[in-house]
Amino acid sequence: MFQKILDDTSQPAPGECHLAALTAADRVTWAKARKSFFTTGVNKTSLDAIEKVKQQYLLLFYFSASLSVMF
């Protein structure tokens, strides 16, 4: 699943190449950026979608891990 992302050779969308810099920032910087750039419009929609998928993935991961311990 992640290998497809790593192997992707497509060019980033304008501004996308700077997104990773936010993840390296401290919590205060990230919170300010989130409040400034991710509370409305397409950025909010995109972040909401990412967080929803992340939550579903984590639930699936923990559920499947629980099942493997049970059986």
Side-chain angles (χ1 to χ4, degrees):
M1 176 158 120
F2 295 112
Q3 192 61 46
K4 182 178 179 182
I5 296 169
L6 294 172
D7 294 340
D8 185 5
T9 59
S10 62
Q11 294 297 312
E16 187 179 8
C17 61
H18 304 291
L19 187 59
L22 291 173
T23 61
D26 60 82
R27 288 180 174 201
V28 173
T29 302
W30 172 243
K32 287 179 182 178
R34 183 181 178 123
K35 187 175 182 180
S36 296
F37 302 114
F38 296 96
T39 55
T40 61
V42 69
N43 288 345
K44 179 177 181 0
T45 302
S46 299
L47 186 59
D48 288 347
I50 291 167
E51 289 180 339
K52 184 177 180 180
V53 169
K54 178 188 73 173
Q55 182 181 23
Q56 292 172 348
Y57 175 79
L58 289 173
L59 287 172
L60 179 62
F61 174 78
Y62 286 116
F63 179 73
S64 63
S66 297
L67 285 179
S68 66
V69 170
M70 292 172 62
F71 298 103

